[in-house]
Amino acid sequence: MTLPFIQVLNEKEQDKKKKKGGNEIKRPCPPYSLWCKDQWNEVKKENPDAEFKDISHILGTAMELLEQYLQFKQEADQGENKKNKTKKEKDPLKPKQPVSAFFLFSNERRAALLAENKNVLEVAKIAGEEWKNMTEKQKGPYEKIAKKNKEKYTQEMEAYKQNKDEEAMNLKKEEEELMKFQKQEALQLLKKKEKTENIIKKTKEQRQKKQQQNVDPNKPKKPASSFLLFSKETRQSLVHENPGINSSTLTAMISVKWKELNQEEKQIWNCKAAEAMGAYKKELEEYNKSVAAAT
């Protein structure tokens, strides 16, 4: 317990040396060292005959008791402490760690000392001194209770960990079952999709076959549009310029080139399509006449 206070004095000596040098910037004291400096003179006034190690022990005991008290208060006021927002929420089912024998004694004495209008520092000092002067026999009941609480805590922690392991295992099983179900559902949807595609493909083939059977081979074929005429000619040049090009890329390039044509260039292809359509109408008219005559 005396080590922090020795560190405070060492820091004072280092500060004196730095002041002599004149160039070093004084390092700020940590909060714990500042607290020790503030309380040191007060404890020395109340205990003028106390030696260095005695004052160190009193302050160390006070600090330990204060930290334990703050921890106890924090656990009692669950959810109200919002100083550390990034800290994970505590599991309310997790067993609370038992306090030490000294804290059991100081907690018992705190009520009586506070009733005498003692402050926290005085309570810590008195409780620390009383505990220090107690015999092993006097400390025995508190150590017995602390030991019993620790054994109970150990058992509760084992049960808690076992429950956590079981929960984790059950959660893993649920995730595996869900994944298995999703895979089965995906396979069923895939099978339905393949079945639907096969039905559509088969229906389309039957329709085309029926149309081919009903179509008269002598009937004139409808001519291509201006875009199809342009596409047929452009396709040949693009394939020659880009050997190995795939069909989708080729179609996309043809569409781009068609959009890039101006009105005059498109009019050339429109005229070719119109000439072909005119010839088609004449042939279709002659064909219809021949069919009517044969009927």
Side-chain angles (χ1 to χ4, degrees), residues 108-126:
E108 183 181 284
R109 289 286 293 131
R110 184 181 296 107
L113 293 173
L114 291 176
E116 298 175 6
N117 295 325
K118 304 289 186 183
N119 57 39
V120 176
L121 184 61
E122 290 173 336
V123 170
K125 184 179 71 172
I126 294 171

Side-chain angles (χ1 to χ4, degrees), residues 51-276:
E51 297 180 358
F52 175 83
K53 62 179 181 179
D54 296 326
I55 299 176
S56 300
H57 178 75
I58 292 172
L59 289 175
T61 304
M63 178 57 71
E64 180 183 1
L65 184 59
L66 183 60
E67 288 178 352
Q68 291 188 8
Y69 172 73
L70 292 175
Q71 182 181 358
F72 173 78
K73 186 178 180 181
Q74 184 180 6
E75 292 177 354
D77 302 333
Q78 291 182 359
E80 294 183 1
N81 187 3
K82 298 181 181 179
K83 291 181 180 180
N84 188 1
K85 295 182 180 180
T86 59
K87 188 176 181 180
K88 293 182 180 179
E89 294 183 0
K90 292 183 179 180
D91 187 353
L93 300 178
K94 187 177 181 179
K96 294 182 179 180
Q97 192 170 3
V99 296
S100 63
F102 167 70
F103 188 69
L104 288 172
F105 166 76
S106 61
N107 195 32
E108 183 181 284
R109 289 286 293 131
R110 184 181 296 107
L113 293 173
L114 291 176
E116 298 175 6
N117 295 325
K118 304 289 186 183
N119 57 39
V120 176
L121 184 61
E122 290 173 336
V123 170
K125 184 179 71 172
I126 294 171
E129 288 295 327
E130 289 179 353
W131 180 260
K132 179 182 176 183
N133 296 326
M134 287 173 65
T135 63
E136 293 297 327
K137 186 176 181 181
Q138 291 172 328
K139 293 180 180 180
Y142 300 100
E143 291 177 348
K144 185 177 180 180
I145 294 173
K147 183 180 180 181
K148 186 176 180 181
N149 290 341
K150 188 174 182 181
E151 291 175 353
K152 183 181 178 182
Y153 168 77
T154 303
Q155 293 176 356
E156 290 176 349
M157 276 301 296
E158 290 179 356
Y160 171 80
K161 289 180 180 179
Q162 185 176 356
N163 290 334
K164 281 293 181 182
D165 293 340
E166 291 177 357
E167 288 177 3
M169 189 177 295
N170 292 334
L171 181 62
K172 186 178 180 181
K173 288 182 179 179
E174 290 177 0
E175 291 176 350
E176 290 176 351
E177 290 293 331
L178 179 61
M179 189 175 293
K180 184 178 179 181
F181 173 76
Q182 290 176 343
K183 286 183 178 179
Q184 291 177 350
E185 192 175 34
L187 287 173
Q188 290 178 357
L189 290 173
L190 184 61
K191 289 179 179 179
K192 287 182 179 179
K193 182 182 177 183
E194 291 176 351
K195 186 176 181 181
T196 304
E197 289 177 349
N198 290 333
I199 292 173
I200 294 172
K201 184 178 179 181
K202 188 175 181 181
T203 304
K204 187 176 180 181
E205 290 175 351
Q206 290 176 351
R207 188 184 297 114
Q208 290 177 350
K209 187 176 181 180
K210 187 175 181 181
Q211 289 176 352
Q212 290 174 359
Q213 290 176 352
N214 296 332
V215 172
D216 187 351
N218 297 321
K219 185 178 181 179
K221 293 182 180 180
K222 191 174 182 179
S225 63
S226 57
F227 172 74
L228 290 177
L229 292 172
F230 169 80
S231 176
K232 184 177 180 181
E233 183 173 316
T234 307
R235 182 182 297 273
Q236 295 177 355
S237 61
L238 288 175
V239 171
H240 180 72
E241 295 172 359
N242 303 277
I245 188 172
N246 57 51
S247 178
S248 58
T249 304
L250 183 61
T251 303
M253 292 178 68
I254 293 172
S255 298
V256 171
K257 285 185 173 295
W258 173 257
K259 291 180 180 179
E260 290 176 348
L261 294 179
N262 55 36
Q263 292 297 328
E264 294 179 358
E265 292 172 334
K266 284 185 178 181
Q267 186 62 30
I268 297 173
W269 297 102
N270 292 335
C271 292
K272 291 182 179 181
E275 291 177 2

Side-chain angles (χ1 to χ4, degrees), residues 7 9-19 27:
Q7 183 180 356
L9 294 181
N10 290 337
E11 289 176 356
K12 288 183 178 180
E13 294 295 330
Q14 291 176 2
D15 291 341
K16 290 179 181 179
K17 293 179 181 179
K18 290 178 180 179
K19 287 179 180 178
R27 186 177 61 180

